[in-house]
Amino acid sequence: MKPASAADWISGARLRTLPLAIAPVALGTGAAIVASDPGVYHPVRALLALLVALFLQVGVNYANDYSDGIRGTDKFRIGPARLTGAGAAKPRTVLTVALAFFGLAAVAGLLLVILTQYWWLLLVGVVAIGAAWLYTGGKKPYGYFGLGELFVFVFFGLVATMGTTYVQVGRINLESWLSGIAIGLIACAVLMVNNLRDIVPDKTAGKRTLAVLIGPIWGRVAFCVFLLVPFVIAGFFALFYPLGFLTLFVLLLALPACIITVTGRTAGELILALKLTSLAALAYGVLLALAFAL
């Protein structure tokens, strides 16, 4: 097979997952504006938090490519080919790129810690990078034992959202808590529909995701719950923030994603649902953040 091209490496970064990094930082920043004095903003801290999230997301994508590839899991893969599994890049090269992005996340996080003087956040950073690696890496990756959604909820929901708020204002408010729960659930929905697509090859490869453990029917039910409960939270915020109702328009993306996931049977249909859910995550995060900020 010919060596990986630039397009292959960009594909390996899985750009469609980046909304899961952007949305919680947007929400955390909106919640920080609520908690700040009028006219007080922390754009540098918000930017550094965004860089940490983006670098971690890309790093974990390459790390998954490497780990699944050397385990042979991707030999049964249905979706787009991976760099390692397809033999387009040497495993060591993919690992090096993954570690480089983890390093960039660490540098951005260190700058944020120096700026805020919240030194205990270094431990949070170490745990976050460790969780990113151990999703599919190590001897007993938790992603192979049905725990992926739990860790995604914690780190791409609660930690990312509340952490962004904390580094800007030094405290956590209700807006940060609830919006962190909401975006964490949407992140779980993204992972669930991705794993529903791969349920047969994952089962063949011995990868016991939550979708494999609970089966396709309950997996589809879980997806709809993960994706729709956040709109209950958005409805609650709409009672207090005039622009909060705009977030409910994201149902125009979420409801079709639910319908496609429940009725679809082909990989192509579930990939479409995955794309709609990722867009819903970004739109939800940006619109609710704007409702907080304005």
Side-chain angles (χ1 to χ4, degrees), residues 256-268:
C258 288
I259 293 171
I260 293 169
T261 299
V262 170
T263 62
R265 292 297 179 267
T266 67

Side-chain angles (χ1 to χ4, degrees), residues 14-15 26 47 53 56 84 90 96 126 137 148 158-159 163 169 182-183 196 225 228 231 238-239 246-247 272 289:
R14 300 171 68 188
L15 299 184
L47 176 60
L56 275 178
T84 307
K90 294 180 179 179
T96 299
V126 170
L158 299 180
V159 173
V169 296
I183 202 61
L196 283 169
V225 172
L228 296 180
F231 292 95
L239 298 175
L246 293 175
T247 311
L272 175 58

